[in-house]
Amino acid sequence: PQSAVKDFLKRRENYMAVYEPVTEKDGPFCKIINSKQFIVSNIRGYLPLKVVHFVMNLHMLPRTFYLTRHGQSEYNLLGKIGGDSGLT
């Protein structure tokens, strides 16, 4: 694990040495800053817009979510699956 961290930090330093920010003259782009801020420029077309929508809705941070199950229904008592019965 330590060697992987060192390798990552080394690669990051190399990227920072040659990094050039993207501008509007470079063409369409979607810039993501800290997984919270999105800068979208000149994106046109069905598929590119779908990709941008998908990327903007990714959840990069841990979140709590709950799975629930309904109570026993009248159909459960009868052994039926599906439908829209009331709860017992």
Side-chain angles (χ1 to χ4, degrees):
Q2 289 292 16
S3 62
V5 171
K6 285 181 182 178
D7 179 58
F8 171 76
L9 294 175
K10 179 86 171 151
R11 283 186 286 130
R12 185 173 172 218
E13 286 177 25
N14 290 337
Y15 286 132
M16 290 173 69
V18 296
Y19 175 77
E20 292 181 21
V22 177
T23 63
E24 289 186 16
K25 68 180 176 125
D26 295 320
F29 66 88
C30 177
K31 189 184 290 188
I32 305 167
I33 302 168
N34 294 331
S35 299
K36 292 182 180 181
Q37 183 180 2
F38 297 87
I39 301 172
V40 180
S41 176
N42 241 356
I43 303 291
R44 292 185 184 5
Y46 177 79
L47 191 55
L49 286 170
K50 288 292 183 184
V51 171
V52 168
H53 183 264
F54 175 76
V55 168
M56 290 179 77
N57 286 292
L58 289 175
H59 298 292
M60 305 300 256
L61 304 173
R63 298 174 187 269
T64 302
F65 67 96
Y66 301 94
L67 297 177
T68 63
R69 188 172 189 277
H70 65 77
Q72 185 180 40
S73 71
E74 294 169 359
Y75 283 180
N76 291 139
L77 290 177
L78 299 172
K80 291 184 176 181
I81 297 175
D84 188 21
S85 72
L87 299 176
T88 60

